[in-house]
Amino acid sequence: MELSATGEPVVTQEDTQVDVGLDLQAGTLVLAQEGADLVAYHALVEFAALKGQPWTAQQVKFSAQGPDGTSVALVVDLLNDACDGPRDGLPAVIWRVVALAATYAGDVGITYAPPAS
């Protein structure tokens, strides 16, 4: 394949929302809802930055397997009702999922080095 390229790419952050998906190892996160254990296998964390503010995690959407083997979706709102801070009473493991997603998003130290030419 013949390829040529020129220019100097510049990135602008116009998106105010970024979703980061994580595939979770089976059995590492169990969510309990209405007495049923749900084994989470995927989390989609929604980050937003409004009007030049820092990025904030707003919501986590979990895909899980219910006790009968069916797939279940569970949405956890991370912000309080006034949307000015974190929601009280969320389990610490939910915030660990958010921290993992932030790492994958590059906010907490993901680095990349291009191949040596």
Side-chain angles (χ1 to χ4, degrees):
M1 173 173 86
E2 197 171 310
L3 175 70
S4 66
T6 60
E8 187 62 37
V10 175
V11 176
T12 58
Q13 183 59 45
E14 295 180 9
D15 289 337
T16 58
Q17 183 175 322
V18 173
D19 294 333
V20 178
L22 300 172
D23 290 324
L24 304 172
Q25 187 173 347
T28 59
L29 177 59
V30 177
L31 307 165
Q33 183 181 39
E34 298 176 5
D37 287 345
L38 309 172
V39 179
Y41 58 85
H42 188 80
L44 184 68
V45 181
E46 180 181 288
F47 294 91
L50 302 174
K51 299 179 184 173
Q53 296 296 315
W55 287 95
T56 303
Q58 297 186 128
Q59 191 177 74
V60 183
K61 298 174 184 173
F62 289 102
S63 298
Q65 188 173 26
D68 58 358
T70 60
S71 290
V72 178
L74 179 68
V75 177
V76 178
D77 290 322
L78 301 171
L79 297 176
N80 61 25
D81 292 337
C83 293
D84 62 359
R87 183 169 298 281
D88 291 331
L90 291 179
V93 70
I94 301 296
W95 294 111
R96 287 196 288 274
V97 169
V98 171
L100 283 170
T103 299
Y104 279 102
D107 294 338
V108 188
I110 294 290
T111 59
Y112 171 78
S117 37

